[in-house]
Amino acid sequence: MRNTILIGLLLTTLNTAQSADYPLGSVQVLAPQSRETAPVAPTAVVYFTVRNAGPQADRLLGVDTPLAGRAQLHAMASDDGAMSMQRVSSVELPAGSDTRFTNRGYHVMLLDLARHPREGEQFPLTLHFEKAGDLQVQVEVHRDLPESSP
């Protein structure tokens, strides 16, 4: 009996430690994650992968969350070797492909934070797709994100 309880607790811990995936028609949002922020940080960032398994392209038009006054889509760009962050109005999601939102590419910036996310917490983020519609996900907050994050 004791071994059964220990195995059950271990499986529960493993299941909650894995990031959730969120399907909406042919679009799926994989492993939405954010990094814990310092109490004085003016912004937070969200990373994830969007899988478009459908035969048609879609587009991510925007995001919002009650955690921030503003949530924006951003991209990193290189200009003569210097990296810069630029706000983008939307992100193309080609048919049959994955689009990764990472620290070196597309990502979501959260501005005017209502509070600072802490390790172990989750917060809602709604993604607005042109064709698939709106999808709410729960973003998991980590102290440090693994190098392989989305």
Side-chain angles (χ1 to χ4, degrees), residues 74-88:
H74 281 220
M76 294 299 292
S78 178
D79 186 19
D80 290 328
M83 295 298 289
S84 66
M85 184 172 57
Q86 300 173 354
R87 184 176 179 187
V88 295

Side-chain angles (χ1 to χ4, degrees), residues 43-46 63 68 70-74 85 107-111:
T43 62
V45 65
V46 179
V63 295
R70 296 179 293 149
Q72 300 175 346
L73 300 173
H74 281 220
M85 184 172 57
H107 54 275
V108 172
M109 289 298 301
L110 305 179
L111 307 135

Side-chain angles (χ1 to χ4, degrees), residues 27-89:
V27 171
Q28 185 176 19
V29 175
L30 311 172
Q33 303 174 56
S34 184
R35 185 176 295 125
E36 179 179 58
T37 61
V40 296
T43 62
V45 65
V46 179
Y47 305 119
F48 50 88
T49 297
V50 178
R51 175 167 293 149
N52 182 0
Q56 294 182 350
D58 204 339
R59 185 188 333 232
L60 180 60
L61 301 174
V63 295
D64 59 71
T65 177
L67 183 68
R70 296 179 293 149
Q72 300 175 346
L73 300 173
H74 281 220
M76 294 299 292
S78 178
D79 186 19
D80 290 328
M83 295 298 289
S84 66
M85 184 172 57
Q86 300 173 354
R87 184 176 179 187
V88 295
S89 60

